[in-house]
Amino acid sequence: MMNKLFMIVLSVCCLLMAACGTDNDETPQGLRIVDTDVDLAAGGGTVEVALQAAGELTAVSGADWCRVIEVTNEKITLLARANYEYVSRATQVTVSDGSNEQKIVVTQAGNIFAPDTDQQVLRLGNAPSQTVVRVNSSFDFKVSVQKGIDWVEVPSASKEEGFLLVLKENKTGNPRACQLMVSTNEGRKFFYYVYQYEASDLLGAWESSQIYVKWDKKKIDKAYSLSATEVTKDAEGDGYTIKMSLVGTPVAQYLKDPSKATISLQATYEDGAFVVPIGAAQKDFVLTQEVDETANSAMNRTTDNTALEEEVVLQTLYGFSVAASSNIYSKGNFGFAPLLYQDGSVGMSYQDVTGAPESGCYLAIALFDGQQFSTAALKDYILFPDIALFK
Protein backbone atom coordinates (compact mmCIF):
# COMPACT_ATOMS: atom_id res chain seq x y z
CA MET A 1 0.00 0.00 0.00
CA MET A 2 2.84 2.37 0.89
CA ASN A 3 4.56 1.57 -2.43
CA LYS A 4 1.39 2.48 -4.39
CA LEU A 5 1.03 5.73 -2.47
CA PHE A 6 4.68 6.57 -3.11
CA MET A 7 4.24 5.97 -6.85
CA ILE A 8 1.17 8.22 -6.98
CA VAL A 9 2.97 11.07 -5.20
CA LEU A 10 6.01 10.68 -7.47
CA SER A 11 3.84 10.82 -10.61
CA VAL A 12 2.05 13.98 -9.42
CA CYS A 13 5.41 15.65 -8.73
CA CYS A 14 6.67 14.75 -12.21
CA LEU A 15 3.53 16.20 -13.81
CA LEU A 16 3.90 19.41 -11.82
CA MET A 17 7.56 19.72 -12.77
CA ALA A 18 6.75 19.13 -16.45
CA ALA A 19 4.02 21.75 -16.33
CA CYS A 20 6.40 24.26 -14.74
CA GLY A 21 9.02 23.50 -17.36
CA THR A 22 6.51 24.11 -20.14
CA ASP A 23 5.52 27.46 -18.63
CA ASN A 24 9.20 28.53 -18.42
CA ASP A 25 9.83 27.70 -22.10
CA GLU A 26 6.78 29.52 -23.44
CA THR A 27 6.74 32.62 -21.24
CA PRO A 28 9.41 35.28 -22.02
CA GLN A 29 11.43 36.33 -19.01
CA GLY A 30 11.81 40.15 -19.17
CA LEU A 31 12.80 42.18 -22.26
CA ARG A 32 15.41 40.88 -24.70
CA ILE A 33 16.40 42.61 -27.96
CA VAL A 34 18.11 40.31 -30.43
CA ASP A 35 20.32 42.98 -32.07
CA THR A 36 20.89 46.37 -30.43
CA ASP A 37 23.05 47.77 -33.26
CA VAL A 38 21.37 48.62 -36.59
CA ASP A 39 23.30 49.90 -39.63
CA LEU A 40 21.36 51.54 -42.47
CA ALA A 41 22.33 52.65 -45.95
CA ALA A 42 22.03 56.32 -46.93
CA GLY A 43 18.90 55.52 -48.93
CA GLY A 44 16.98 54.73 -45.74
CA GLY A 45 13.81 52.59 -45.65
CA THR A 46 12.24 50.24 -43.11
CA VAL A 47 14.04 47.80 -40.86
CA GLU A 48 12.71 45.26 -38.35
CA VAL A 49 14.45 44.60 -35.03
CA ALA A 50 13.57 41.23 -33.45
CA LEU A 51 12.90 41.04 -29.71
CA GLN A 52 11.26 38.93 -27.00
CA ALA A 53 9.00 40.55 -24.39
CA ALA A 54 5.83 40.15 -22.34
CA GLY A 55 3.31 42.85 -21.69
CA GLU A 56 2.95 46.25 -23.27
CA LEU A 57 6.04 47.90 -24.82
CA THR A 58 6.91 51.48 -25.67
CA ALA A 59 9.65 52.63 -28.09
CA VAL A 60 10.84 56.21 -28.55
CA SER A 61 13.34 57.41 -31.17
CA GLY A 62 15.87 60.12 -30.38
CA ALA A 63 15.78 61.71 -33.88
CA ASP A 64 13.06 62.75 -36.29
CA TRP A 65 14.77 61.04 -39.26
CA CYS A 66 14.23 57.66 -37.58
CA ARG A 67 10.59 56.88 -36.73
CA VAL A 68 9.05 53.96 -34.81
CA ILE A 69 6.09 52.78 -36.89
CA GLU A 70 5.19 49.47 -35.16
CA VAL A 71 5.84 47.78 -31.82
CA THR A 72 4.91 44.20 -30.90
CA ASN A 73 6.24 41.61 -28.47
CA GLU A 74 8.22 40.06 -31.33
CA LYS A 75 9.62 43.04 -33.24
CA ILE A 76 10.00 46.79 -33.62
CA THR A 77 9.73 48.31 -37.10
CA LEU A 78 11.71 51.49 -37.81
CA LEU A 79 11.46 53.85 -40.79
CA ALA A 80 14.53 55.98 -41.66
CA ARG A 81 14.50 58.89 -44.10
CA ALA A 82 17.18 59.14 -46.82
CA ASN A 83 20.39 60.84 -45.75
CA TYR A 84 21.52 63.25 -48.48
CA GLU A 85 24.41 64.65 -46.43
CA TYR A 86 27.99 63.41 -46.85
CA VAL A 87 28.39 62.74 -43.10
CA SER A 88 26.84 59.73 -41.41
CA ARG A 89 24.40 60.11 -38.50
CA ALA A 90 23.25 58.09 -35.49
CA THR A 91 20.51 58.01 -32.87
CA GLN A 92 19.08 55.73 -30.17
CA VAL A 93 15.67 54.09 -29.87
CA THR A 94 14.68 53.52 -26.22
CA VAL A 95 12.54 50.41 -25.63
CA SER A 96 10.73 49.84 -22.29
CA ASP A 97 8.33 47.25 -20.86
CA GLY A 98 7.58 49.34 -17.77
CA SER A 99 10.22 47.77 -15.56
CA ASN A 100 13.18 47.23 -17.92
CA GLU A 101 14.68 49.58 -20.50
CA GLN A 102 17.05 48.86 -23.38
CA LYS A 103 18.45 50.97 -26.25
CA ILE A 104 18.86 50.26 -29.95
CA VAL A 105 21.69 52.21 -31.62
CA VAL A 106 20.74 53.16 -35.20
CA THR A 107 23.53 54.37 -37.53
CA GLN A 108 22.93 55.59 -41.08
CA ALA A 109 25.69 55.99 -43.68
CA GLY A 110 26.33 59.32 -45.40
CA ASN A 111 25.59 60.06 -49.05
CA ILE A 112 28.45 58.56 -51.07
CA PHE A 113 28.86 60.12 -54.52
CA ALA A 114 32.25 59.82 -56.17
CA PRO A 115 33.83 58.32 -59.27
CA ASP A 116 35.70 55.06 -59.26
CA THR A 117 39.23 56.46 -59.50
CA ASP A 118 40.53 53.37 -61.32
CA GLN A 119 38.10 54.06 -64.18
CA GLN A 120 37.82 57.85 -64.14
CA VAL A 121 40.15 58.03 -67.15
CA LEU A 122 39.42 55.25 -69.66
CA ARG A 123 41.85 54.64 -72.53
CA LEU A 124 40.31 52.16 -74.95
CA GLY A 125 41.24 50.80 -78.38
CA ASN A 126 39.70 51.63 -81.75
CA ALA A 127 37.54 48.49 -81.99
CA PRO A 128 33.85 48.66 -80.99
CA SER A 129 33.55 47.88 -77.28
CA GLN A 130 31.29 47.78 -74.24
CA THR A 131 32.55 48.53 -70.75
CA VAL A 132 30.79 48.59 -67.38
CA VAL A 133 31.97 51.66 -65.46
CA ARG A 134 31.62 51.58 -61.68
CA VAL A 135 30.23 54.53 -59.71
CA ASN A 136 30.30 55.00 -55.93
CA SER A 137 26.80 56.37 -55.33
CA SER A 138 24.16 55.94 -52.65
CA PHE A 139 21.37 57.12 -54.95
CA ASP A 140 20.42 56.89 -58.58
CA PHE A 141 22.23 59.15 -61.03
CA LYS A 142 22.26 60.04 -64.70
CA VAL A 143 25.12 60.14 -67.23
CA SER A 144 25.34 62.88 -69.87
CA VAL A 145 27.60 62.53 -72.91
CA GLN A 146 29.49 65.62 -74.05
CA LYS A 147 27.55 67.61 -76.64
CA GLY A 148 28.39 66.81 -80.27
CA ILE A 149 29.79 63.33 -79.54
CA ASP A 150 28.10 60.58 -81.58
CA TRP A 151 30.53 57.71 -81.02
CA VAL A 152 29.71 57.17 -77.30
CA GLU A 153 26.45 55.85 -75.85
CA VAL A 154 25.32 55.15 -72.27
CA PRO A 155 22.21 52.96 -72.56
CA SER A 156 21.83 52.12 -68.86
CA ALA A 157 22.86 53.37 -65.42
CA SER A 158 22.05 52.40 -61.82
CA LYS A 159 23.58 52.87 -58.39
CA GLU A 160 24.03 49.10 -58.03
CA GLU A 161 25.52 48.34 -61.46
CA GLY A 162 27.24 51.60 -62.47
CA PHE A 163 26.71 52.45 -66.14
CA LEU A 164 27.26 50.70 -69.46
CA LEU A 165 29.62 52.52 -71.82
CA VAL A 166 29.31 51.65 -75.54
CA LEU A 167 31.92 52.86 -78.06
CA LYS A 168 31.66 52.76 -81.85
CA GLU A 169 34.69 51.90 -83.99
CA ASN A 170 37.25 54.66 -84.44
CA LYS A 171 38.12 54.94 -88.14
CA THR A 172 39.46 58.51 -88.05
CA GLY A 173 43.16 57.61 -87.82
CA ASN A 174 43.49 60.04 -84.89
CA PRO A 175 42.92 59.83 -81.14
CA ARG A 176 39.55 61.09 -79.95
CA ALA A 177 38.15 61.83 -76.52
CA CYS A 178 35.01 62.94 -74.71
CA GLN A 179 33.79 63.90 -71.27
CA LEU A 180 30.96 62.17 -69.39
CA MET A 181 29.14 64.02 -66.62
CA VAL A 182 27.61 61.95 -63.82
CA SER A 183 25.03 63.91 -61.80
CA THR A 184 22.22 63.56 -59.26
CA ASN A 185 18.95 65.40 -58.75
CA GLU A 186 20.56 67.31 -55.88
CA GLY A 187 22.98 69.01 -58.29
CA ARG A 188 26.09 67.03 -57.43
CA LYS A 189 28.33 66.01 -60.33
CA PHE A 190 31.71 64.71 -61.39
CA PHE A 191 33.32 63.64 -64.67
CA TYR A 192 34.73 60.60 -66.41
CA TYR A 193 37.03 60.93 -69.44
CA VAL A 194 36.98 58.48 -72.35
CA TYR A 195 39.82 58.19 -74.90
CA GLN A 196 39.83 55.97 -77.97
CA TYR A 197 42.99 55.35 -80.01
CA GLU A 198 45.83 52.94 -80.83
CA ALA A 199 49.59 53.51 -80.73
CA SER A 200 49.60 53.88 -84.53
CA ASP A 201 47.32 56.95 -84.22
CA LEU A 202 50.01 58.73 -82.19
CA LEU A 203 52.87 58.30 -84.69
CA GLY A 204 54.09 60.99 -87.05
CA ALA A 205 54.61 64.73 -86.69
CA TRP A 206 52.98 66.77 -83.94
CA GLU A 207 53.51 70.17 -85.54
CA SER A 208 51.50 72.69 -83.52
CA SER A 209 53.02 72.31 -80.07
CA GLN A 210 54.07 74.33 -77.06
CA ILE A 211 56.52 73.81 -74.24
CA TYR A 212 56.85 75.59 -70.90
CA VAL A 213 60.46 76.05 -69.81
CA LYS A 214 61.65 76.79 -66.29
CA TRP A 215 65.32 76.98 -65.46
CA ASP A 216 65.96 76.47 -61.77
CA LYS A 217 67.18 80.00 -60.99
CA LYS A 218 66.28 81.77 -64.22
CA LYS A 219 62.54 81.10 -63.90
CA ILE A 220 61.66 81.02 -67.58
CA ASP A 221 57.99 80.11 -67.40
CA LYS A 222 56.61 81.44 -70.71
CA ALA A 223 55.24 79.01 -73.28
CA TYR A 224 57.34 78.60 -76.43
CA SER A 225 56.32 77.13 -79.78
CA LEU A 226 58.05 73.94 -80.83
CA SER A 227 58.92 72.86 -84.30
CA ALA A 228 57.54 69.45 -85.26
CA THR A 229 57.92 66.72 -82.66
CA GLU A 230 58.33 63.34 -84.34
CA VAL A 231 57.00 60.15 -82.79
CA THR A 232 58.30 57.04 -84.56
CA LYS A 233 58.34 53.30 -83.99
CA ASP A 234 61.82 51.81 -83.75
CA ALA A 235 62.88 49.56 -86.60
CA GLU A 236 63.68 46.75 -84.19
CA GLY A 237 61.87 45.68 -81.04
CA ASP A 238 58.83 47.25 -79.41
CA GLY A 239 60.35 50.64 -78.69
CA TYR A 240 59.35 54.16 -79.78
CA THR A 241 61.29 57.43 -80.10
CA ILE A 242 59.92 60.88 -79.28
CA LYS A 243 62.24 63.42 -80.94
CA MET A 244 61.64 66.96 -79.69
CA SER A 245 63.41 70.08 -81.00
CA LEU A 246 64.06 72.93 -78.56
CA VAL A 247 65.71 75.22 -81.14
CA GLY A 248 63.08 77.93 -80.65
CA THR A 249 63.38 77.99 -76.87
CA PRO A 250 65.82 79.85 -74.57
CA VAL A 251 67.53 76.53 -73.86
CA ALA A 252 69.16 76.58 -77.31
CA GLN A 253 71.15 79.77 -76.74
CA TYR A 254 73.14 78.08 -73.98
CA LEU A 255 74.28 75.23 -76.22
CA LYS A 256 77.67 75.05 -77.88
CA ASP A 257 75.80 74.18 -81.09
CA PRO A 258 72.21 75.55 -80.89
CA SER A 259 71.15 73.47 -83.90
CA LYS A 260 71.59 70.38 -81.77
CA ALA A 261 68.99 71.50 -79.22
CA THR A 262 67.07 68.26 -79.70
CA ILE A 263 66.22 65.59 -77.16
CA SER A 264 65.30 62.04 -78.14
CA LEU A 265 63.22 60.17 -75.59
CA GLN A 266 63.17 56.38 -75.80
CA ALA A 267 59.83 54.87 -74.79
CA THR A 268 57.66 51.77 -74.72
CA TYR A 269 53.89 51.76 -75.22
CA GLU A 270 51.92 50.51 -72.22
CA ASP A 271 48.24 50.97 -71.32
CA GLY A 272 47.72 53.79 -73.80
CA ALA A 273 50.83 55.81 -72.86
CA PHE A 274 54.40 56.20 -74.08
CA VAL A 275 56.40 55.25 -70.99
CA VAL A 276 59.80 56.95 -70.83
CA PRO A 277 62.36 55.55 -68.36
CA ILE A 278 64.41 58.36 -66.85
CA GLY A 279 68.17 58.45 -66.91
CA ALA A 280 68.79 58.45 -70.68
CA ALA A 281 71.88 60.41 -71.79
CA GLN A 282 71.59 63.11 -74.49
CA LYS A 283 75.13 63.02 -75.92
CA ASP A 284 74.79 65.80 -78.50
CA PHE A 285 73.08 68.19 -76.11
CA VAL A 286 76.17 70.05 -74.80
CA LEU A 287 75.96 73.25 -72.78
CA THR A 288 78.38 76.18 -72.81
CA GLN A 289 78.95 77.63 -69.36
CA GLU A 290 80.51 80.96 -68.44
CA VAL A 291 83.22 80.83 -65.79
CA ASP A 292 83.71 83.47 -63.07
CA GLU A 293 86.77 85.56 -64.08
CA THR A 294 87.74 86.09 -60.44
CA ALA A 295 87.77 82.41 -59.61
CA ASN A 296 91.10 81.44 -58.11
CA SER A 297 91.61 78.24 -60.05
CA ALA A 298 94.54 76.92 -62.07
CA MET A 299 92.09 75.80 -64.75
CA ASN A 300 91.03 79.44 -65.30
CA ARG A 301 94.53 80.87 -65.77
CA THR A 302 97.05 80.82 -68.63
CA THR A 303 100.78 80.10 -68.28
CA ASP A 304 101.47 83.78 -67.58
CA ASN A 305 98.98 83.69 -64.70
CA THR A 306 96.33 85.88 -66.40
CA ALA A 307 92.69 84.97 -65.94
CA LEU A 308 90.69 83.42 -68.79
CA GLU A 309 87.57 85.34 -69.84
CA GLU A 310 85.43 82.24 -70.11
CA GLU A 311 85.68 78.48 -70.35
CA VAL A 312 83.47 75.95 -72.10
CA VAL A 313 82.54 73.11 -69.78
CA LEU A 314 81.13 70.00 -71.41
CA GLN A 315 78.23 68.59 -69.47
CA THR A 316 76.18 65.51 -70.23
CA LEU A 317 72.43 66.08 -70.05
CA TYR A 318 70.03 63.40 -68.91
CA GLY A 319 66.27 63.14 -69.18
CA PHE A 320 64.76 63.04 -65.68
CA SER A 321 61.35 62.89 -64.10
CA VAL A 322 60.60 65.72 -61.73
CA ALA A 323 57.67 65.99 -59.32
CA ALA A 324 55.89 69.17 -58.28
CA SER A 325 58.36 69.47 -55.40
CA SER A 326 61.18 69.90 -57.97
CA ASN A 327 63.01 66.83 -56.72
CA ILE A 328 65.13 65.12 -59.36
CA TYR A 329 65.11 61.33 -59.46
CA SER A 330 67.54 58.85 -60.98
CA LYS A 331 64.97 56.05 -61.26
CA GLY A 332 61.36 55.84 -62.35
CA ASN A 333 59.20 56.57 -65.38
CA PHE A 334 57.04 59.32 -66.77
CA GLY A 335 54.62 59.10 -69.66
CA PHE A 336 53.04 60.87 -72.63
CA ALA A 337 49.44 60.16 -73.62
CA PRO A 338 46.51 61.94 -75.33
CA LEU A 339 44.83 64.62 -73.22
CA LEU A 340 41.44 66.31 -73.70
CA TYR A 341 41.64 70.11 -73.41
CA GLN A 342 38.85 72.51 -72.43
CA ASP A 343 38.33 73.70 -76.01
CA GLY A 344 37.59 70.14 -77.09
CA SER A 345 40.94 69.55 -78.82
CA VAL A 346 42.98 66.42 -78.16
CA GLY A 347 46.72 66.84 -77.67
CA MET A 348 49.44 64.79 -76.03
CA SER A 349 51.07 65.65 -72.73
CA TYR A 350 52.23 64.17 -69.44
CA GLN A 351 50.44 61.14 -68.07
CA ASP A 352 51.19 59.47 -64.73
CA VAL A 353 52.44 55.95 -65.27
CA THR A 354 53.43 53.08 -63.03
CA GLY A 355 56.94 53.43 -61.64
CA ALA A 356 56.96 57.21 -61.21
CA PRO A 357 58.64 58.21 -57.94
CA GLU A 358 55.71 60.53 -57.19
CA SER A 359 52.48 61.35 -58.95
CA GLY A 360 52.55 64.38 -61.22
CA CYS A 361 55.96 63.71 -62.71
CA TYR A 362 57.25 65.59 -65.72
CA LEU A 363 60.34 66.01 -67.85
CA ALA A 364 63.57 67.68 -66.79
CA ILE A 365 67.06 67.99 -68.18
CA ALA A 366 69.71 67.64 -65.50
CA LEU A 367 73.21 69.03 -66.10
CA PHE A 368 76.17 67.10 -64.72
CA ASP A 369 79.94 67.21 -64.73
CA GLY A 370 80.66 63.78 -66.10
CA GLN A 371 78.58 60.68 -66.75
CA GLN A 372 77.33 59.72 -63.31
CA PHE A 373 74.15 60.79 -61.52
CA SER A 374 75.08 62.24 -58.14
CA THR A 375 74.18 65.27 -56.09
CA ALA A 376 77.80 66.46 -56.16
CA ALA A 377 77.94 66.30 -59.96
CA LEU A 378 74.61 68.11 -60.51
CA LYS A 379 75.32 71.68 -61.70
CA ASP A 380 71.92 72.90 -62.82
CA TYR A 381 68.69 71.67 -64.30
CA ILE A 382 65.99 72.74 -66.74
CA LEU A 383 62.38 71.88 -65.96
CA PHE A 384 59.58 71.41 -68.47
CA PRO A 385 56.43 71.80 -66.33
CA ASP A 386 54.16 71.29 -69.33
CA ILE A 387 54.42 70.05 -72.89
CA ALA A 388 51.38 70.23 -75.18
CA LEU A 389 51.75 68.44 -78.50
CA PHE A 390 49.12 68.90 -81.23
CA LYS A 391 48.90 67.49 -84.73
Side-chain angles (χ1 to χ4, degrees):
M1 182 68 179
M2 290 297 294
N3 287 339
K4 288 183 179 181
L5 181 59
F6 175 76
M7 292 299 293
I8 291 172
V9 172
L10 180 62
S11 298
V12 170
C13 290
C14 290
L15 289 172
L16 290 174
M17 291 177 62
C20 291
T22 302
D23 288 342
N24 289 337
D25 291 340
E26 294 179 355
T27 303
Q29 299 299 308
L31 171 63
R32 188 172 76 88
I33 298 176
V34 175
D35 191 352
T36 57
D37 293 311
V38 176
D39 294 321
L40 300 176
T46 59
V47 60
E48 294 180 351
V49 180
L51 56 82
Q52 293 180 354
E56 184 176 354
L57 296 180
T58 60
V60 180
S61 173
D64 59 357
W65 58 266
C66 179
R67 291 172 50 201
V68 179
I69 60 175
E70 185 183 11
V71 181
T72 71
N73 293 132
E74 291 79 31
K75 66 180 181 180
I76 293 177
T77 305
L78 305 175
L79 173 62
R81 291 203 306 262
N83 183 11
Y84 294 106
E85 301 298 325
Y86 280 124
V87 295
S88 61
R89 58 191 181 185
T91 189
Q92 291 183 335
V93 176
T94 304
V95 184
S96 174
D97 63 359
S99 58
N100 296 311
E101 183 177 283
Q102 292 192 28
K103 296 184 183 297
I104 302 171
V105 178
V106 182
T107 304
Q108 187 176 29
N111 181 3
I112 299 172
F113 185 64
D116 187 298
T117 54
D118 291 338
Q119 291 185 297
Q120 194 168 10
V121 177
L122 296 165
R123 300 185 180 276
L124 305 172
N126 288 332
S129 61
Q130 294 187 3
T131 304
V132 175
V133 182
R134 299 179 297 273
V135 177
N136 301 309
S137 182
S138 302
F139 301 95
D140 289 331
F141 55 86
K142 62 181 179 180
V143 182
S144 303
V145 180
Q146 183 179 336
K147 187 177 180 180
I149 300 296
D150 61 359
W151 50 276
V152 175
E153 295 179 357
V154 180
S156 63
S158 71
K159 63 180 180 180
E160 294 82 14
E161 301 293 335
F163 63 90
L164 179 63
L165 178 68
V166 179
L167 269 59
K168 297 179 182 178
E169 184 179 4
N170 182 10
K171 299 179 181 180
T172 65
N174 293 301
R176 59 186 183 184
C178 81
Q179 177 181 269
L180 305 178
M181 183 176 72
V182 181
S183 60
T184 66
N185 293 332
E186 293 75 43
R188 291 174 176 165
K189 62 183 179 180
F190 55 76
F191 297 94
Y192 282 85
Y193 297 89
V194 181
Y195 295 85
Q196 190 181 32
Y197 59 90
E198 304 281 359
S200 57
D201 299 325
L202 307 180
L203 302 180
W206 294 72
E207 298 180 352
S208 178
S209 304
Q210 289 184 318
I211 187 169
Y212 290 81
V213 181
K214 184 177 179 182
W215 207 304
D216 179 30
K217 296 179 181 179
K218 301 173 181 64
K219 296 184 178 179
I220 305 170
D221 54 8
K222 181 181 176 182
Y224 295 89
S225 296
L226 292 176
S227 54
T229 296
E230 293 283 342
V231 182
T232 57
K233 192 176 188 310
D234 298 344
E236 298 181 1
D238 298 325
Y240 295 82
T241 299
I242 303 172
K243 190 174 183 180
M244 187 179 305
S245 175
L246 303 177
V247 171
T249 73
V251 175
Q253 66 180 311
Y254 291 94
L255 298 187
K256 183 176 182 180
D257 184 355
S259 65
K260 292 183 177 180
T262 300
I263 54 176
S264 294
L265 306 174
Q266 305 304 312
T268 56
Y269 186 76
E270 303 172 28
D271 299 326
F274 290 116
V275 180
V276 181
I278 57 179
Q282 306 294 313
K283 295 180 181 179
D284 292 333
F285 207 120
V286 180
L287 185 83
T288 59
Q289 181 183 34
E290 294 182 357
V291 175
D292 186 356
E293 295 180 8
T294 62
N296 186 18
S297 170
M299 291 182 61
N300 297 333
R301 295 181 178 275
T302 62
T303 55
D304 61 356
N305 206 34
T306 59
L308 293 172
E309 292 185 356
E310 70 174 26
E311 179 183 355
V312 175
V313 179
L314 300 182
Q315 295 177 312
T316 303
L317 286 79
Y318 292 79
F320 277 89
S321 181
V322 179
S325 61
S326 296
N327 293 322
I328 295 181
Y329 298 93
S330 60
K331 295 181 180 180
N333 302 313
F334 71 95
F336 284 102
L339 181 66
L340 177 64
Y341 288 84
Q342 289 184 350
D343 62 359
S345 61
V346 180
M348 189 160 65
S349 189
Y350 297 126
Q351 169 68 24
D352 287 347
V353 294
T354 302
E358 293 182 11
S359 62
C361 291
Y362 49 83
L363 177 64
I365 295 294
L367 286 63
F368 296 94
D369 276 342
Q371 304 289 327
Q372 185 176 5
F373 174 82
S374 69
T375 303
L378 178 64
K379 298 301 178 183
D380 206 346
Y381 55 89
I382 308 164
L383 309 182
F384 301 97
D386 190 24
I387 296 176
L389 307 179
F390 296 94
K391 284 195 170 183

